[in-house]
Amino acid sequence: MTPPLLALEEHYYSSAIFDSIGETFQRTLHAVPGLADQLRGVGDERIQAMDRGNVAFQVVSHSFTPGGPSAEDCRSGNDELAADIARISEPHRFAAFAVLPVADPVESATELNRTVSELGFVGALIDNHADGKHFDGPEYDVLWAQASDLDVPIYLHPTWPSAQMREHYLGSYSMPVAISLGGPGWGWHPDVGLHVLKLFAAGVFDRFPKLKIVLGHMGEMLPFMLERASDMSTRWGGWGPRDRPLRQVWDENIWITTSGSWSLAPLKCILHNTKIDHIMYSVDYPFESNERGLEWFKELEASGLLTEEQLEMVAYRNAEKLLKVQVKTH
């Protein structure tokens, strides 16, 4: 019997954040019938969609905030999300990740502390860069320190390339192709992987050895290059050796989810180099459907790749432990 599923890359827009993303991106969301409506609410429609996919528990979060929302918009958006969850018929089936004003690391740390301490959020989901800037600089230590002190994870989520980054994806093809190559068709994923390697190279995991980072989409390509990156990282000696090698950081500081990657092929690779208790199920709702996720999980069950205990770990137990939440299993 398929275990209950816990999904933690599941998307939402409050009014404050939706208004902040700009008309161009709003039009993109409205272009897909029903998508904007699914993103804007935490209510009966979302619960029904969860039930169709055997999702017992969902962690809701904002994502895709081009340019980075202001601290004020983040506060309003997080308050609205907390209120939306509190008023629905089954609030026990939900938790939340905070949206943070990632262009401002001090304000990000402040808002992370507020949402976890006052609103009961279980961490934050943040865009992978702020106008092309990753978060490996010392100015972001205040954010990593706050996450470590609170013992909550930061979910590093892909976002659209900045204007400068977009130039790398232009070529002898139409603009829609370039947009896809820079986004979900390719560019999102290695850029998140690069970001993690930059955090490692900059010593972030040395300074914050208890930092917890979550990566979606089967690990944002890192599992498939992990051995080579680990070998190459031994040559990154300009700053002196890291306290722990990359493989140890991968084992101790990085969790991955299955979100939106509906094939067993990548998981077969991941099972060879990633601890089973750091692998978690997710959907990417509503950009992906809960039904498609359930279909994939049933395929995983039938494959024999995992024992019954391991299936439960991926389905919900690993996320329960990481997020300190509890799924009702009956």
Side-chain angles (χ1 to χ4, degrees):
M1 181 178 177
T2 302
L5 302 173
L6 188 159
L8 59 147
E9 190 187 318
E10 318 309 315
H11 304 289
Y12 161 92
Y13 276 118
S14 62
S15 297
I17 299 299
F18 191 78
D19 290 345
S20 77
I21 63 177
E23 292 184 4
T24 299
F25 190 39
Q26 288 177 4
R27 287 196 299 270
T28 300
L29 296 175
H30 281 297
V32 180
L35 178 61
D37 291 337
Q38 290 173 312
L39 285 163
R40 295 298 299 277
V42 180
D44 290 341
E45 182 179 353
R46 186 177 288 256
I47 291 173
Q48 291 164 8
M50 290 166 60
D51 290 343
R52 292 193 297 269
N54 201 45
V55 176
F57 196 97
Q58 189 180 86
V59 183
V60 185
S61 56
H62 298 82
S63 63
F64 303 119
T65 54
S70 69
E72 181 179 358
D73 285 340
C74 287
R75 285 192 293 271
S76 297
N78 288 323
D79 287 343
E80 185 176 333
L81 174 54
D84 280 352
I85 291 174
R87 70 167 61 97
I88 62 176
S89 59
E90 299 181 77
H92 62 278
R93 295 179 64 180
F94 293 91
F97 283 139
V99 61
L100 304 179
V102 289
D104 187 327
V106 173
E107 288 287 356
S108 292
T110 298
E111 183 61 4
L112 177 64
N113 182 53
R114 186 187 77 89
T115 54
V116 173
S117 302
E118 298 179 15
L119 301 181
F121 284 17
V122 295
L125 182 145
I126 63 175
D127 281 359
N128 180 54
H129 62 80
D131 197 24
K133 181 180 181 180
H134 292 140
F135 312 138
D136 53 294
E139 67 273 20
Y140 279 90
D141 279 5
V142 64
L143 174 59
W144 306 131
Q146 186 67 84
S148 297
D149 290 346
L150 292 167
D151 192 28
V152 295
I154 301 292
Y155 201 125
L156 200 56
H157 189 272
T159 193
W160 298 102
S162 66
Q164 183 178 10
M165 296 163 72
R166 282 196 295 270
E167 295 180 6
H168 295 290
Y169 301 103
L170 299 176
S172 300
Y173 35 76
S174 66
M175 183 56 69
V177 175
I179 292 172
S180 180
L181 285 174
W186 182 259
W188 280 354
H189 312 297
D191 193 56
V192 176
L194 172 63
H195 195 164
V196 173
L197 294 179
K198 291 173 71 171
L199 295 177
F200 170 78
V204 169
F205 296 107
D206 289 352
R207 295 192 293 279
F208 307 103
K210 295 183 179 180
L211 179 62
K212 298 174 179 178
I213 298 291
V214 182
L215 308 175
H217 313 109
M218 296 287 186
E220 307 294 13
M221 297 195 182
L222 275 174
F224 319 116
M225 293 297 291
L226 184 59
E227 283 71 25
R228 181 162 176 81
S230 296
D231 288 344
M232 294 299 104
S233 69
T234 62
R235 307 179 187 182
W236 302 346
W239 303 273
R242 301 274 62 93
D243 292 345
R244 293 172 296 150
L246 180 59
R247 281 304 304 264
Q248 186 176 351
V249 168
W250 180 261
D251 287 344
E252 296 176 356
N253 299 91
I254 309 297
W255 281 254
I256 69 174
T257 81
T258 65
S259 58
S261 300
W262 308 130
S263 169
L264 294 183
L267 186 62
K268 290 177 181 178
C269 168
I270 289 165
L271 291 172
H272 284 284
N273 61 16
T274 303
K275 294 167 62 177
I276 189 66
D277 59 350
H278 280 225
I279 304 170
M280 303 179 292
Y281 178 80
S282 282
V283 175
D284 212 352
Y285 176 86
F287 300 103
E288 298 283 344
S289 74
N290 292 311
E291 295 92 330
R292 182 65 186 92
L294 178 58
E295 180 184 338
W296 176 85
F297 198 90
K298 288 182 177 294
E299 184 182 356
L300 173 61
E301 287 180 293
S303 71
L305 287 170
L306 300 180
T307 66
E308 182 176 348
E309 180 183 5
Q310 290 172 331
L311 284 165
E312 288 191 354
M313 292 171 71
V314 172
Y316 69 96
R317 292 194 184 279
N318 292 339
E320 276 187 324
K321 183 178 180 181
L322 177 67
L323 304 175
K324 304 178 186 68
V325 299
Q326 186 169 9
V327 175
K328 286 194 174 182
T329 56
H330 300 290

